[in-house]
Amino acid sequence: MINVTRTYLPDAGKYKSYVDRIFESGWITNNGQLVQELEKRIKEYLGVRNIVLVSNGTLALQVAYKILNLKGDVITTPFSFVATVSSQVWEGLNPVFVDIDCETLNIDCTKIEKSITKNTSGIIPVHVFGNGCNVEEIERIARKYGLKAVYDAAHAFGIRYKGESILNHGDISVLSFHATKVFHTIEGGALIINDDKLYEKARHMVDFGINGPDRIDWLGINAKMNEFQAAMGLCILDDIDEIVEKRRMVNDYYLEKLSKTGCLKFPKHNENCTFNYGYLPVIFENEEKLLEVKCKLEESSIRPRRYFYPSLETLPYIANRCRVPVSNSISKRILCLPMYDSLKTEEIERIVEIIKTVFNK
Ligand SMILES: *Cc1c(COP(=O)(O)O)cnc(C)c1O
């Protein structure tokens, strides 16, 4: 079976030596030494000022909205993983969807201003599939209207924009370290916060709002990362450059083979950004062809996934029906093919051959 992704597992011996350290210390959670070590190393690796590690990316989003005091309407994209929007609704926010650009699949910045009202408190864009948003334009709009910007950067680990970490843009960027992401800690996530005061507050907020012995200064939640998660992260961080390089080779081989067929389109990359090759999305002319290809692949035990379908404005718990025809159309016609560092050349060839049979009959 070839799945859409395969979780990267580090050397078992290395992981066990970290586990030995955890057992020796007897300290398994609550800002332990491995979490502190991982924070320091990720911060350096990414080139960011402040990072708070948390137990998953969804909680990181929720903490970000809370700490920035987002209220009422927030402008966001309908083309993402459901957590972008479910976390907003969970926090009592009202997502206002702005359509996506048909080439980059990121929020269409030319349409944001029209959707801003006196009830808007923030913009929550996504660097979808690790493709960087037009952060300068979003910054300009946020400043002009006094809005906060939270980037769902769950796919954007290691992405650099004009030579600097893209995570330094906006008030807060949120990462996910779920097992399916390019870099993972089994489950996990992080908040990247530029403002030092806000960062201090976030550190306490993910720990029940406790601010020292016998002091509870803020409303908080439990979003702490534990030592076993951090151990996984420390192991994988050693290998991350190699993982991304292998993914690049898988990506390039796919594109070479697939572009020859001439029947599929690919999202357009932001040329100011580096790329981490987290996903291999292909766009079909219509949904029928997509379903046919998906079915044919599944018959051969190959499992692509419909990332991201359905378009999020159609969710049953969304009250206001925004019109976002581009997202609605793309989400029906986009499929993510298997993509991971250890995917073999022969496997890619097999996948492409099956796709070709659907188009050449
Ligand atoms: C994975 C993902 C999340 C959620 O992260 P978890 O760590 O699984 O909670 C949020 N947003 C996007 C775009 C994601 O892909």
Side-chain angles (χ1 to χ4, degrees):
M1 161 112 81
I2 304 177
N3 224 330
V4 66
T5 186
R6 183 180 204 158
T7 296
Y8 179 82
L9 287 174
D11 178 71
K14 188 190 274 186
Y15 189 72
K16 283 174 192 152
S17 69
Y18 278 113
V19 171
D20 287 343
R21 271 177 64 187
I22 299 171
F23 273 70
E24 275 157 31
S25 73
W27 191 297
I28 63 175
T29 188
N30 284 39
N31 200 27
Q33 53 172 309
L34 298 186
V35 163
Q36 290 177 35
E37 203 172 312
L38 184 62
E39 274 185 353
K40 192 160 161 282
R41 281 190 55 197
I42 294 187
K43 214 161 77 171
E44 268 163 34
Y45 180 82
L46 296 176
V48 296
R49 184 173 170 83
N50 299 309
I51 185 169
V52 183
L53 294 180
V54 293
S55 46
N56 66 63
T58 304
L59 271 169
L61 286 168
Q62 289 173 235
V63 169
Y65 308 151
K66 204 83 167 192
I67 211 163
L68 292 170
N69 207 15
L70 296 188
K71 285 200 165 53
D73 295 351
V74 286
I75 286 177
T76 194
T77 170
F79 187 72
S80 181
F81 181 60
V82 62
T84 307
V85 164
S86 59
S87 58
Q88 295 166 19
V89 176
W90 196 267
E91 288 300 325
L93 299 169
N94 177 35
V96 172
F97 295 103
V98 165
D99 213 350
I100 56 169
D101 180 276
C102 67
E103 294 197 311
T104 65
L105 312 186
N106 282 325
I107 195 164
D108 184 344
C109 292
T110 66
K111 296 185 178 148
I112 293 177
E113 285 185 85
K114 273 179 273 182
S115 298
I116 296 173
T117 69
K118 61 177 188 340
N119 295 324
T120 312
S121 62
I123 309 177
I124 307 171
V126 180
H127 304 299
V128 81
F129 300 133
N131 193 20
C133 291
N134 185 345
V135 288
E136 279 157 14
E137 181 59 9
I138 291 167
E139 234 147 59
R140 184 192 68 78
I141 296 168
R143 201 166 300 137
K144 180 171 166 190
Y145 295 91
L147 304 176
K148 304 288 184 192
V150 177
Y151 284 97
D152 181 338
H155 304 165
F157 188 84
I159 300 295
R160 304 185 80 80
Y161 178 86
K162 296 187 176 172
E164 199 201 311
S165 175
I166 198 161
L167 307 171
N168 291 332
H169 289 274
D171 294 282
I172 299 180
S173 289
V174 163
L175 291 164
S176 164
F177 301 150
H178 183 257
T180 54
K181 306 298 204 266
V182 172
F183 170 82
H184 79 89
T185 59
I186 311 171
E187 294 264 1
L191 294 129
I192 310 294
I193 306 176
N194 287 319
D195 183 82
D196 291 343
K197 273 215 185 94
L198 217 51
Y199 162 71
E200 272 310 314
K201 190 171 168 192
R203 291 200 70 84
H204 302 300
M205 210 155 155
V206 301
D207 186 21
F208 308 100
I210 294 171
N211 188 14
D214 309 325
R215 276 196 69 163
I216 301 163
D217 286 351
W218 299 287
L219 173 66
I221 196 164
N222 180 6
K224 300 186 301 291
M225 179 179 276
N226 71 49
E227 291 290 278
F228 295 88
Q229 291 172 294
M232 182 61 80
L234 284 163
C235 291
I236 296 179
L237 201 56
D238 287 341
D239 304 339
I240 191 68
D241 288 337
E242 200 183 316
I243 294 169
V244 172
E245 174 58 16
K246 283 186 179 159
R247 283 177 169 276
R248 187 189 64 77
M249 293 191 321
V250 168
N251 180 81
D252 289 359
Y253 195 60
Y254 256 125
L255 291 199
E256 184 196 319
K257 292 278 160 195
L258 284 173
S259 56
K260 277 190 200 139
T261 68
C263 31
L264 295 167
K265 273 180 41 182
F266 309 97
K268 187 171 149 227
H269 289 163
N270 184 335
E271 56 213 17
N272 291 314
C273 287
T274 60
F275 204 52
N276 64 17
Y277 311 98
Y279 301 84
L280 206 118
V282 293
I283 304 170
F284 292 75
E285 213 166 300
N286 57 56
E287 191 176 18
E288 291 72 48
K289 272 276 181 276
L290 176 148
L291 292 173
E292 215 178 317
V293 165
K294 182 167 175 276
C295 184
K296 275 274 179 302
L297 289 170
E298 280 165 355
E299 282 168 12
S300 303
S301 301
I302 297 162
R303 285 214 188 142
R305 280 291 297 270
R306 297 188 74 178
Y307 291 148
F308 289 103
Y309 174 84
S311 187
L312 298 174
E313 85 285 1
T314 66
L315 292 174
Y317 49 80
I318 296 298
N320 55 329
R321 297 274 158 215
C322 306
R323 245 182 61 78
V324 282
V326 180
S327 173
N328 202 278
S329 164
I330 296 268
S331 65
K332 288 179 183 139
R333 298 184 285 116
I334 193 162
L335 190 67
C336 280
L337 299 178
M339 162 52 100
Y340 45 87
D341 65 290
S342 59
L343 191 65
K344 296 192 193 77
T345 309
E346 308 86 77
E347 293 172 324
I348 299 170
E349 284 164 1
R350 235 175 81 210
I351 292 165
V352 174
E353 281 314 308
I354 293 168
I355 294 173
K356 273 189 189 162
T357 62
V358 173
F359 284 97
N360 292 342
K361 63 175 194 213

